[in-house]
Amino acid sequence: MKATFKAHMRFHTNYCVCESCGKRCRNNNQLQEHKRARHGLGRIHKCAYCEYSSATKEALTIHERRHTGERPYICDHCGATFHRRSNLVQHIAIHLPEKNFQCDMCPKKLKSRKFLQIHKHNAHTGRRYGYLCPICKHRFEKPNKVRAHARRVHGLPDEQHPPIVRVQL
């Protein structure tokens, strides 16, 4: 969209710079949020549902969607829904036919930078993790499998799911 493009171009010319680390922000508001989040200026935004607090309003909004079940980002290809935009962007890669991201440690090619990052961690670091169901302690390879298990076996909706425990194998 034209307005989005103009805002993006302004980022390259009119931006605020953090004097502590050099990060560029689109405006002074973002700069102040960055400073609170990264340079210890306090977590002033409090969750209405639990003890969580964040330095930015955006992080709080995303967090609170876990409590409310709101998933405003919808995949046009399959209808999958997400609580944050970055998860939708990452998901869309599964619908792409191309595998343009080459692993620099083996011949494997993947559909997205995120999938490449996951592959490199799983295949080349030697560190492996499992994820435990907080109810029955059954172990799974991925956290989304724990949530699906909790829905199917324990009848637990996502918004009531306790934190998933990650264990090193």
Side-chain angles (χ1 to χ4, degrees):
M1 290 178 15
K2 191 174 185 177
T4 307
F5 176 72
K6 282 185 176 181
H8 171 80
M9 292 308 292
R10 274 196 307 273
F11 175 68
H12 293 291
T13 56
N14 303 335
Y15 48 85
C16 301
V17 178
C18 175
E19 54 278 354
S20 299
C21 68
K23 176 171 173 64
R24 294 192 306 183
C25 297
R26 294 177 196 270
N27 55 46
N28 195 50
N29 223 15
Q30 272 191 353
L31 178 61
Q32 295 311 312
E33 286 189 350
H34 160 77
K35 286 179 178 181
R36 278 196 298 273
R38 298 288 179 243
H39 304 298
L41 296 180
R43 295 174 172 259
I44 62 170
H45 302 281
K46 309 288 184 205
C47 177
Y49 304 95
C50 72
E51 298 301 313
Y52 175 85
S53 63
S54 72
T56 67
K57 181 70 175 152
E58 179 186 21
L60 176 64
T61 300
I62 291 168
H63 166 82
E64 286 184 339
R65 287 179 184 151
R66 293 288 193 185
H67 296 292
T68 64
E70 180 188 7
R71 298 170 76 87
Y73 301 100
I74 303 166
C75 176
D76 292 337
H77 299 278
C78 68
T81 60
F82 302 90
H83 71 281
R84 64 182 343 155
R85 186 179 174 278
S86 61
N87 291 359
L88 170 62
V89 170
Q90 176 185 328
H91 163 83
I92 287 172
I94 70 169
H95 298 295
L96 301 174
E98 308 87 26
K99 292 184 176 180
N100 294 328
F101 295 85
Q102 172 72 53
C103 179
D104 58 359
M105 302 173 90
C106 74
K108 189 156 180 95
K109 286 186 164 192
L110 296 109
K111 290 184 176 188
S112 74
R113 183 173 282 114
K114 184 67 175 178
F115 292 163
L116 175 59
Q117 179 184 4
I118 292 166
H119 159 76
K120 287 173 84 169
H121 182 283
N122 290 342
H124 302 299
T125 63
R127 286 182 279 169
R128 302 288 293 181
Y129 297 100
Y131 300 89
L132 300 179
C133 172
I135 298 162
C136 69
K137 304 302 181 211
H138 188 86
R139 192 177 78 212
F140 298 87
E141 286 189 14
K142 298 180 179 179
N144 64 323
K145 300 293 184 189
V146 177
R147 282 189 285 280
H149 160 81
R151 274 193 307 272
R152 190 179 66 255
V153 174
H154 303 297
L156 195 64
D158 282 345
E159 52 277 359
Q160 294 177 1
H161 200 284
I164 296 169
V165 177
R166 182 175 84 169
V167 293
Q168 192 161 358
L169 303 176

